[in-house]
Amino acid sequence: MRILICGDVNARSGRESVNKYLPELKSKLSIDFVMLNVDNAAGGFGVNKEIANAFFAAGANVLTGGNHVFDQNGAIGLLESEKRLLRPFNMPISTPGRGVCEAVANNGKKVVVIHLLGQKDMPCTANDPFEAMNQLLSKYKLGQTADAIIVDFHAELTSEKNALGHFLDGRVSAVVGTHTHIPTADERILEYGTAFQTDIGMCGDYDSIIGMKKETAVEMFSKNYVKTKLTSASGEATFCGLLVDLDDKSGLAKIVKFIKLGGKLSQSIT
Ligand SMILES: [Fe+2]
Ligand SMILES: [Fe+2]
């Protein structure tokens, strides 16, 4: 089975890159399952129903959020009604929505997607992601009760993300980091077969400060006496995603390849 996991889609230019590249990639590379992180899809802050539906129409199977997933009006109702859109699982138990999705891939295989939030240096609090995974993996067994298990860990620290990757090595198909909007060059298969990348970056305009207009963001950092309003950058986006081939029997990874198409980080996929 072949899966594609894309980093934080940022604002209009990020959405345009999804429309431009995803449908063609999905058919050309015979991708069975697509995950998009949509935490910043609506102007940089969360997602709404119309945008979520456009992602599904473009070929996404499951969408994940993060610390901004409740930012838009109507987000609570959307998260309660749309099972394919996740908020982090380890938010307080009374939080609307869900953090796990049992989905069916285009090839009929059962894919479990789990979305988690980091605990270190994040703007909102979360419960222990390691304990949460132990709890979930007592139910989902890779290669037995699930053909694939994919974890989106929305976190700031590279160390925390690497710790979760190794903690889950051999028990899930893939662990990818999201949230920082900067892709790390460490995509690999860990010792016991889990695909891993510390951060898969963003689908967004990289001529920016993590997706925000560079002039205003530079002002924010360099003149802390000025109150700056950040707005999303609107130049051509780079479409970023981790492509993973899984063994059909074990659900573990065989091949990983990081894709960057268009915009400032563009590369060829050959
Ligand atoms: Fe983000
Ligand atoms: Fe985030």
PDB file of all heavy atoms in Angstrom, residues 8 37 39-40 65-68 117 122 154-155 178-181, ligand 2:
ATOM      1  N   ASP A   8       1.354  20.853   6.963  1.00  0.00           N
ATOM      2  CA  ASP A   8       0.380  21.914   7.191  1.00  0.00           C
ATOM      3  C   ASP A   8       0.082  22.724   5.920  1.00  0.00           C
ATOM      4  O   ASP A   8       0.942  23.483   5.442  1.00  0.00           O
ATOM      5  CB  ASP A   8       0.893  22.877   8.269  1.00  0.00           C
ATOM      6  CG  ASP A   8       1.278  22.175   9.572  1.00  0.00           C
ATOM      7  OD1 ASP A   8       1.720  21.015   9.523  1.00  0.00           O
ATOM      8  OD2 ASP A   8       1.148  22.805  10.638  1.00  0.00           O
ATOM      9  N   ASN A  37      -2.486  17.669   6.684  1.00  0.00           N
ATOM     10  CA  ASN A  37      -2.661  18.456   7.898  1.00  0.00           C
ATOM     11  C   ASN A  37      -3.236  19.809   7.474  1.00  0.00           C
ATOM     12  O   ASN A  37      -2.653  20.513   6.640  1.00  0.00           O
ATOM     13  CB  ASN A  37      -1.341  18.648   8.653  1.00  0.00           C
ATOM     14  CG  ASN A  37      -1.573  19.394   9.951  1.00  0.00           C
ATOM     15  OD1 ASN A  37      -1.913  20.570   9.943  1.00  0.00           O
ATOM     16  ND2 ASN A  37      -1.431  18.719  11.074  1.00  0.00           N
ATOM     17  N   ASP A  39      -4.289  22.398   9.627  1.00  0.00           N
ATOM     18  CA  ASP A  39      -4.379  23.282  10.797  1.00  0.00           C
ATOM     19  C   ASP A  39      -4.364  24.772  10.442  1.00  0.00           C
ATOM     20  O   ASP A  39      -4.836  25.598  11.214  1.00  0.00           O
ATOM     21  CB  ASP A  39      -3.215  22.954  11.747  1.00  0.00           C
ATOM     22  CG  ASP A  39      -3.474  23.425  13.167  1.00  0.00           C
ATOM     23  OD1 ASP A  39      -4.648  23.422  13.574  1.00  0.00           O
ATOM     24  OD2 ASP A  39      -2.511  23.780  13.862  1.00  0.00           O
ATOM     25  N   ASN A  40      -3.804  25.091   9.262  1.00  0.00           N
ATOM     26  CA  ASN A  40      -3.668  26.508   8.870  1.00  0.00           C
ATOM     27  C   ASN A  40      -4.313  26.782   7.520  1.00  0.00           C
ATOM     28  O   ASN A  40      -3.956  27.748   6.829  1.00  0.00           O
ATOM     29  CB  ASN A  40      -2.187  26.895   8.810  1.00  0.00           C
ATOM     30  CG  ASN A  40      -1.432  26.447  10.037  1.00  0.00           C
ATOM     31  OD1 ASN A  40      -0.796  25.403  10.010  1.00  0.00           O
ATOM     32  ND2 ASN A  40      -1.535  27.200  11.106  1.00  0.00           N
ATOM     33  N   GLY A  65      -5.671  18.258  12.262  1.00  0.00           N
ATOM     34  CA  GLY A  65      -5.584  19.678  12.609  1.00  0.00           C
ATOM     35  C   GLY A  65      -4.369  19.953  13.466  1.00  0.00           C
ATOM     36  O   GLY A  65      -3.244  19.654  13.081  1.00  0.00           O
ATOM     37  N   GLY A  66      -4.618  20.523  14.655  1.00  0.00           N
ATOM     38  CA  GLY A  66      -3.522  20.869  15.554  1.00  0.00           C
ATOM     39  C   GLY A  66      -4.000  21.924  16.532  1.00  0.00           C
ATOM     40  O   GLY A  66      -5.184  21.966  16.893  1.00  0.00           O
ATOM     41  N   ASN A  67      -3.094  22.823  16.897  1.00  0.00           N
ATOM     42  CA  ASN A  67      -3.444  23.845  17.894  1.00  0.00           C
ATOM     43  C   ASN A  67      -4.426  24.884  17.365  1.00  0.00           C
ATOM     44  O   ASN A  67      -5.032  25.610  18.142  1.00  0.00           O
ATOM     45  CB  ASN A  67      -2.176  24.520  18.426  1.00  0.00           C
ATOM     46  CG  ASN A  67      -1.257  25.012  17.333  1.00  0.00           C
ATOM     47  OD1 ASN A  67      -0.806  24.216  16.497  1.00  0.00           O
ATOM     48  ND2 ASN A  67      -0.969  26.291  17.328  1.00  0.00           N
ATOM     49  N   HIS A  68      -4.587  24.976  16.015  1.00  0.00           N
ATOM     50  CA  HIS A  68      -5.513  25.967  15.447  1.00  0.00           C
ATOM     51  C   HIS A  68      -6.852  25.369  14.993  1.00  0.00           C
ATOM     52  O   HIS A  68      -7.663  26.078  14.395  1.00  0.00           O
ATOM     53  CB  HIS A  68      -4.873  26.657  14.238  1.00  0.00           C
ATOM     54  CG  HIS A  68      -3.763  27.591  14.601  1.00  0.00           C
ATOM     55  ND1 HIS A  68      -3.968  28.755  15.310  1.00  0.00           N
ATOM     56  CD2 HIS A  68      -2.428  27.520  14.367  1.00  0.00           C
ATOM     57  CE1 HIS A  68      -2.801  29.368  15.483  1.00  0.00           C
ATOM     58  NE2 HIS A  68      -1.856  28.636  14.936  1.00  0.00           N
ATOM     59  N   LEU A 117      -0.932  15.832  19.995  1.00  0.00           N
ATOM     60  CA  LEU A 117      -0.324  17.141  20.229  1.00  0.00           C
ATOM     61  C   LEU A 117       0.871  16.965  21.167  1.00  0.00           C
ATOM     62  O   LEU A 117       0.818  16.165  22.101  1.00  0.00           O
ATOM     63  CB  LEU A 117      -1.386  18.020  20.893  1.00  0.00           C
ATOM     64  CG  LEU A 117      -1.318  19.541  20.821  1.00  0.00           C
ATOM     65  CD1 LEU A 117      -1.285  20.039  19.389  1.00  0.00           C
ATOM     66  CD2 LEU A 117      -2.527  20.125  21.551  1.00  0.00           C
ATOM     67  N   MET A 122       4.273  24.275  23.446  1.00  0.00           N
ATOM     68  CA  MET A 122       3.083  24.452  22.603  1.00  0.00           C
ATOM     69  C   MET A 122       2.146  25.467  23.263  1.00  0.00           C
ATOM     70  O   MET A 122       2.138  25.611  24.486  1.00  0.00           O
ATOM     71  CB  MET A 122       2.351  23.114  22.425  1.00  0.00           C
ATOM     72  CG  MET A 122       3.091  22.120  21.565  1.00  0.00           C
ATOM     73  SD  MET A 122       3.326  22.659  19.866  1.00  0.00           S
ATOM     74  CE  MET A 122       1.691  22.428  19.169  1.00  0.00           C
ATOM     75  N   HIS A 154       1.708  16.629  16.194  1.00  0.00           N
ATOM     76  CA  HIS A 154       1.761  18.082  15.991  1.00  0.00           C
ATOM     77  C   HIS A 154       2.500  18.685  17.183  1.00  0.00           C
ATOM     78  O   HIS A 154       1.919  18.870  18.254  1.00  0.00           O
ATOM     79  CB  HIS A 154       0.324  18.596  15.895  1.00  0.00           C
ATOM     80  CG  HIS A 154       0.197  19.915  15.224  1.00  0.00           C
ATOM     81  ND1 HIS A 154       0.294  20.060  13.868  1.00  0.00           N
ATOM     82  CD2 HIS A 154      -0.011  21.157  15.718  1.00  0.00           C
ATOM     83  CE1 HIS A 154       0.127  21.338  13.543  1.00  0.00           C
ATOM     84  NE2 HIS A 154      -0.049  22.022  14.656  1.00  0.00           N
ATOM     85  N   ALA A 155       3.783  18.977  16.988  1.00  0.00           N
ATOM     86  CA  ALA A 155       4.617  19.342  18.131  1.00  0.00           C
ATOM     87  C   ALA A 155       5.747  20.268  17.701  1.00  0.00           C
ATOM     88  O   ALA A 155       6.125  20.302  16.533  1.00  0.00           O
ATOM     89  CB  ALA A 155       5.197  18.076  18.763  1.00  0.00           C
ATOM     90  N   THR A 178       4.370  17.422  12.496  1.00  0.00           N
ATOM     91  CA  THR A 178       3.839  18.611  11.821  1.00  0.00           C
ATOM     92  C   THR A 178       3.949  19.775  12.804  1.00  0.00           C
ATOM     93  O   THR A 178       4.410  19.604  13.929  1.00  0.00           O
ATOM     94  CB  THR A 178       2.364  18.411  11.392  1.00  0.00           C
ATOM     95  OG1 THR A 178       1.589  18.063  12.551  1.00  0.00           O
ATOM     96  CG2 THR A 178       2.214  17.315  10.344  1.00  0.00           C
ATOM     97  N   HIS A 179       3.556  20.959  12.349  1.00  0.00           N
ATOM     98  CA  HIS A 179       3.452  22.175  13.175  1.00  0.00           C
ATOM     99  C   HIS A 179       4.541  23.214  12.926  1.00  0.00           C
ATOM    100  O   HIS A 179       4.257  24.402  12.917  1.00  0.00           O
ATOM    101  CB  HIS A 179       3.380  21.876  14.673  1.00  0.00           C
ATOM    102  CG  HIS A 179       3.341  23.095  15.548  1.00  0.00           C
ATOM    103  ND1 HIS A 179       2.284  23.988  15.545  1.00  0.00           N
ATOM    104  CD2 HIS A 179       4.239  23.601  16.448  1.00  0.00           C
ATOM    105  CE1 HIS A 179       2.528  24.963  16.416  1.00  0.00           C
ATOM    106  NE2 HIS A 179       3.708  24.763  16.962  1.00  0.00           N
ATOM    107  N   THR A 180       5.803  22.812  12.707  1.00  0.00           N
ATOM    108  CA  THR A 180       6.841  23.853  12.612  1.00  0.00           C
ATOM    109  C   THR A 180       6.866  24.526  11.239  1.00  0.00           C
ATOM    110  O   THR A 180       7.463  25.582  11.091  1.00  0.00           O
ATOM    111  CB  THR A 180       8.248  23.309  12.902  1.00  0.00           C
ATOM    112  OG1 THR A 180       8.671  22.502  11.812  1.00  0.00           O
ATOM    113  CG2 THR A 180       8.292  22.537  14.200  1.00  0.00           C
ATOM    114  N   HIS A 181       6.281  23.895  10.220  1.00  0.00           N
ATOM    115  CA  HIS A 181       6.215  24.427   8.849  1.00  0.00           C
ATOM    116  C   HIS A 181       7.559  24.388   8.127  1.00  0.00           C
ATOM    117  O   HIS A 181       7.665  24.916   7.018  1.00  0.00           O
ATOM    118  CB  HIS A 181       5.652  25.857   8.811  1.00  0.00           C
ATOM    119  CG  HIS A 181       4.210  25.939   9.191  1.00  0.00           C
ATOM    120  ND1 HIS A 181       3.393  26.987   8.850  1.00  0.00           N
ATOM    121  CD2 HIS A 181       3.436  25.074   9.896  1.00  0.00           C
ATOM    122  CE1 HIS A 181       2.188  26.796   9.327  1.00  0.00           C
ATOM    123  NE2 HIS A 181       2.186  25.630   9.976  1.00  0.00           N
TER     124      HIS A 181
HETATM  125 FE    FE B   2       0.369  24.132  14.683  1.00  0.00          FE
END
